[in-house]
């Protein structure tokens, strides 16, 4: 039987994945600053984090890799997997076991295997697949939908849970350049990956009223993702998860 798997969304792309007692944190972002607001309450405060088995960082943007705050996490030997180029910031925050990964390279967090996958964003990024005892999770960071993500479906044909960004973030001063997949594209990725359960992430963020008007544009919501996924990937169950509310996933064998 596959091991138990429970997801708790913290906020934005920060999630806690419990693989039968081994806890993995994705994209730590706990502290706000001007221009960076969660837009939703934190499901878990940093000081209330359980002992982690590993941390996966998709890319170096503040709202995914807040090392200034995460430096206060006490276990500096927790294994960290990051995209190439990010290790230095993690080392400077005091973490000793940092591994830079490129797509298809792997690392172990205890008994949880981490595989980096292709991703595309405004800066270099990884998505990750996390596996233990037949339970498989795809963590989508805040990537765009790119053809290379089809390879994830080929290599990981049985995904239990996909965490997919949906806000379709666009940068106004760059001719509305899109840097994150939108709800329709996330639904399309569901049709490609065919996860049993999909949970949208990356949709409550706000830069504040002025910056949102001048700099950023959000073109996807969690509800839109649920509607689109029901149409394009009817075999996937979508759960819009309030921060802090655990969702037990029962993986298939
Ligand atoms: Zn980003």
């Amino acid at each position: 039987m596959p091991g138990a798997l429970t997801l708790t969304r913290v906020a934005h792309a920060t999630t806690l994945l419990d693989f039968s007692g081994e806890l993995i944190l994705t994209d730590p972002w706990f502290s706000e600053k001007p221009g960076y607001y969660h837009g939703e309450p934190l499901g878990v405060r940093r000081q209330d984090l359980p002992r982690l088995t590993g941390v996966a960082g998709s890319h170096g943007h503040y709202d995914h890799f807040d090392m200034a705050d995460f430096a206060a996490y006490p276990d500096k030997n927790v294994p960290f997997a990051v995209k190439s180029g990010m290790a230095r910031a993690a080392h400077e925050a005091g973490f000793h076991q940092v591994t830079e990964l490129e797509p298809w390279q792997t690392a172990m967090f205890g008994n949880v295997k981490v595989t980096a996958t292709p991703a595309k964003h405004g800066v270099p990024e990884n998505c990750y697949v996390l596996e233990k005892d037949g339970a498989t999770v795809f963590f989508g960071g805040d990537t765009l939908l790119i053809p290379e993500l089809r390879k994830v479906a080929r290599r990981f044909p049985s995904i239990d849970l996909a965490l997919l960004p949906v806000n379709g973030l666009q940068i106004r001063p760059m001719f509305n350049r899109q840097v994150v997949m939108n709800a329709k594209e996330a639904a399309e990725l569901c049709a490609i990956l065919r996860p049993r359960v999909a949970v949208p992430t990356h949709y409550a963020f706000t830069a504040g009223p002025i910056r949102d008007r001048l700099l950023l544009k959000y073109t996807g919501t969690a509800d839109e993702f649920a509607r689109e996924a029901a149409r394009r990937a009817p075999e996937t169950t979508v759960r819009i998860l309030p921060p802090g509310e655990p969702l037990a996933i029962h993986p298939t064998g």
Side-chain angles (χ1 to χ4, degrees), residues 201-221:
T201 65
H202 208 279
Y203 51 80
F205 176 92
T206 165
I210 294 168
R211 286 181 174 88
D212 282 352
R213 196 148 39 83
L214 297 178
L215 300 177
L216 302 178
K217 196 166 167 179
Y218 312 100
T219 61
T221 66

Side-chain angles (χ1 to χ4, degrees), residues 12 59-64 121-123 125 142 169 179-180 202:
H12 197 50
H59 68 295
H61 282 158
Y62 175 79
D63 57 317
H64 293 253
H121 185 51
V123 298
E125 173 161 336
D142 68 355
L169 182 68
V179 292
V180 178
H202 208 279

Side-chain angles (χ1 to χ4, degrees), residues 165-178:
V166 300
N167 77 349
L169 182 68
Q170 296 182 2
I171 312 296
R172 293 182 193 269
M174 295 174 75
F175 305 101
N176 293 327
R177 191 176 93 163
Q178 187 182 344

Side-chain angles (χ1 to χ4, degrees), residues 2-10 13-20 22 24-26 112-113 115 117 127-141 149 152-153 156-165 186 189-201 203 225 235-241 245-253:
L5 170 64
T6 301
L7 162 71
T8 306
R9 225 167 56 73
V10 176
T14 312
T15 69
L16 255 183
L17 292 158
D18 182 341
F19 288 87
S20 53
E22 291 188 291
I24 311 302
L25 183 72
T26 64
V112 179
K113 186 179 180 186
T115 304
T117 86
C127 294
Y128 294 101
V129 172
L130 300 140
E131 302 168 275
K132 177 185 168 184
D133 296 342
T136 304
V137 177
F138 174 77
F139 170 66
L149 285 169
V152 176
F156 300 94
S158 177
I159 295 174
D160 297 290
L161 168 67
L163 298 162
L164 302 175
L189 184 54
C190 263
I192 293 166
L193 300 180
R194 296 187 297 128
R196 288 198 314 108
V197 178
V199 173
T201 65
Y203 51 80
F225 169 68
E235 284 156 35
T236 295
T237 301
V238 171
R239 294 291 303 269
I240 298 172
L241 208 56
E245 187 176 293
L247 175 68
I249 313 282
H250 303 289
T252 53

Side-chain angles (χ1 to χ4, degrees), residues 67 70-71 73 75-78 80 90-91 93-98:
M67 286 304 99
F70 199 64
Y73 178 74
D75 178 14
K76 293 300 187 296
N77 288 314
V78 66
F80 233 112
H91 283 139
F95 294 96
H96 306 303
Q97 290 197 57
V98 187

